[in-house]
């Protein structure tokens, strides 16, 4: 693909250690990731506008839907691909983030529906610790060969492959959320 072609010219043999042929953080993939960060800044600017709260929320929601549409249009010639962080992926996910952010603002800040946000607050209080624990746990399961065994013995027999994968991911997320809850209950909050 184009990303691999450019990376091989510019980076040569200095590619991702696992694949040795392509780099998910390569030259071409870095540009859309920078755009993703800029979309986050744009969302912050919309939120800080001196406009009515409802108007700012509508702007976020509308911008999100336009970004989703742009991502789907771009998908016709450049597939939505997280591993390569394609432009279509950046647009689509940025749009999805805008829409979810707008909906969350409306329900939490406008309507005052805060009770359902508690699990997310607990995860956010230790975001770095939770991320590191998830990476370490997933890497350990994979290195020991247990991830495939757990999937094959527990999840594959009870659902179709796609749904079994979803159940595995939800179980993993629930387990990591339990870890965050334990940290929160003990008052341990990792800060940088």
């Amino acid at each position: 693909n184009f990303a691999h072609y450019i990376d091989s010219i510019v980076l040569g043999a200095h590619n991702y250690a696992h694949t040795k042929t392509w780099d998910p953080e390569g030259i071409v993939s870095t540009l859309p990731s920078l755009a993703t960060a800029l979309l986050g800044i744009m969302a912050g600017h919309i939120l800080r506008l001196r406009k009515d709260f409802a108007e700012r929320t509508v702007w976020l929601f509308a911008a999100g839907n336009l970004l989703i549409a742009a991502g789907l249009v771009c998908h016709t010639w450049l597939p939505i691909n997280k591993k390569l962080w394609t432009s279509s992926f950046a647009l689509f996910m940025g749009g999805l983030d805008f829409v979810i952010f707008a909906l969350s603002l409306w329900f939490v800040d406008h309507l005052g529906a805060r009770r359902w946000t508690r699990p997310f607050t607990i995860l956010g209080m230790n975001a770095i610790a939770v991320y590191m624990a998830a990476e370490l746990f997933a890497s350990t399961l994979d290195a020991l060969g247990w991830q495939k065994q757990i999937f094959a013995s527990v999840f594959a027999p009870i659902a179709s492959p796609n749904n079994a994968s979803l159940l595995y991911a939800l179980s993993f997320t629930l387990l990591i959320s339990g870890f965050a809850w334990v940290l929160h209950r003990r008052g341990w909050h990792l800060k940088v």
Side-chain angles (χ1 to χ4, degrees):
N1 61 40
F2 180 71
H4 170 71
Y5 175 71
I6 297 297
D7 288 347
S8 65
I9 290 172
V10 177
L11 301 175
H14 301 285
N15 278 310
Y16 197 54
H18 296 300
T19 64
K20 299 192 186 341
T21 59
W22 64 276
D23 193 336
E25 288 90 23
I27 304 298
V28 176
S29 299
T30 300
L31 297 174
S33 68
L34 291 172
T36 301
L38 292 173
L39 286 172
I41 292 169
M42 187 174 115
H45 281 296
I46 292 172
L47 188 61
R48 292 180 55 175
L49 289 174
R50 293 179 187 256
K51 304 268 186 196
D52 180 56
F53 178 81
E55 189 177 346
R56 288 178 284 158
T57 307
V58 168
W59 272 102
L60 283 168
F61 189 77
N65 282 295
L66 288 172
L67 288 167
I68 288 171
L72 291 172
V73 167
C74 289
H75 174 70
T76 59
W77 67 83
L78 184 64
I80 295 172
N81 186 321
K82 182 185 183 298
K83 288 280 190 190
L84 294 176
W85 212 277
T86 58
S87 301
S88 57
F89 173 79
L91 290 169
F92 182 80
M93 291 309 295
L96 195 58
D97 291 341
F98 270 57
V99 168
I100 291 171
F101 186 42
L103 292 173
S104 297
L105 279 172
W106 187 259
F107 283 109
V108 175
D109 290 344
H110 181 69
L111 299 179
R114 289 186 170 88
R115 187 178 178 135
W116 65 273
T117 64
R118 185 83 175 134
F120 301 111
T121 303
I122 291 171
L123 281 170
M125 288 178 168
N126 268 315
I128 295 171
V130 168
Y131 173 77
M132 293 305 294
E135 286 293 313
L136 180 64
F137 188 53
S139 298
T140 303
L141 285 177
D142 191 43
L144 296 173
W146 294 357
Q147 188 269 338
K148 289 180 182 177
Q149 289 178 352
I150 292 169
F151 181 81
S153 61
V154 176
F155 299 99
I158 61 173
S160 68
N162 287 344
N163 289 331
S165 179
L166 175 63
L167 289 174
Y168 178 86
L170 290 173
S171 299
F172 187 87
T173 302
L174 189 60
L175 184 68
I176 295 301
S177 297
F179 170 73
W181 183 81
V182 168
L183 292 178
H184 176 70
R185 291 286 293 171
R186 294 183 180 217
W188 298 346
H189 300 105
L190 178 67
K191 295 180 181 179
V192 177

